[in-house]
Amino acid sequence: MRIENGMIDHVYPVAELHAESWRTAYAGIMPGSFLNESLLENRLTLWRERLAVPTPGAGFFVARDDDGRLRGFCYFIPQPDGRILLDNLHVRPGLTGSGIGAALLRHGLAWAAREHPAGEVYLEVLSANTRAIAFYERHGAVRTDARTCFFPQGLELPEFEYAWRAAN
């Protein structure tokens, strides 16, 4: 497996993996109507916009196997308050627990420490996503907040904020 910078030509594979990951991770947490077929189109729109006009200072990394197949990705976005949001970390369903997510997370945290040394890295995770919470806690994240996540489609779900403190 190798980790590399993501590019505009990764739009469809990333959107497809993103939708597949959500359908697996959020089954029973989000309504089935939210995870339906339109989810892929929604994710395609998101990734087309993100990759066509990248956020300055953002980090987008993909994990590929030796044959070049996408196995996972992560996306870090600098925020106006100086923190860095780990907005996405997804591994292809069926490959979770294989070390891909840990490798992506380590790569992204090292990137954030180099590129944004004063910035605390944080993420938001649905409170019912206990598998993801356990993963982040195993990798040193500390819960820093609890609140409600408001999705544009009208869905409201409880979430936690987790963070890794900046080295400085």
Side-chain angles (χ1 to χ4, degrees):
M1 181 194 65
R2 65 185 184 275
I3 297 176
E4 57 192 44
N5 289 330
M7 301 177 296
I8 190 74
D9 66 344
H10 294 136
V11 169
Y12 189 83
V14 164
E16 185 178 46
L17 191 153
H18 195 170
E20 185 182 348
S21 177
W22 271 30
R23 287 185 181 121
T24 302
Y26 297 147
I29 297 174
M30 292 181 160
S33 59
F34 187 83
L35 301 173
N36 67 17
E37 293 174 15
S38 66
L39 179 61
L40 176 57
E41 190 56 43
N42 176 278
R43 300 294 87 187
L44 275 168
T45 299
L46 171 78
W47 287 105
R48 280 184 190 123
E49 291 171 1
R50 282 184 170 174
L51 298 179
V53 184
T55 300
F60 174 46
F61 309 103
V62 297
R64 298 183 166 286
D65 64 16
D66 293 336
D67 295 330
R69 290 177 294 203
L70 182 67
R71 295 299 183 216
F73 69 92
C74 59
Y75 186 65
F76 292 78
I77 310 168
Q79 300 298 296
D81 65 1
R83 299 190 310 160
I84 311 302
L85 172 63
L86 170 53
D87 192 50
N88 294 105
L89 173 60
H90 296 279
V91 172
R92 187 165 304 284
L95 296 176
T96 55
S98 67
I100 296 168
L104 282 164
L105 180 60
R106 281 191 306 272
H107 185 88
L109 291 173
W111 167 86
R114 280 190 318 275
E115 299 297 318
H116 305 280
E120 172 184 87
V121 175
Y122 76 102
L123 62 90
E124 297 156 336
V125 59
L126 295 179
S127 61
N129 192 351
T130 55
R131 183 174 180 156
I133 290 168
F135 171 83
Y136 294 123
E137 288 179 348
R138 275 194 316 274
H139 290 90
V142 176
R143 187 179 304 170
T144 53
D145 201 1
R147 56 182 168 254
T148 300
C149 180
F150 299 94
F151 292 85
Q153 298 84 350
L155 184 62
E156 298 179 15
L157 294 170
E159 72 178 1
F160 296 131
E161 178 184 283
Y162 276 81
W164 292 267
R165 300 291 179 202
N168 297 355

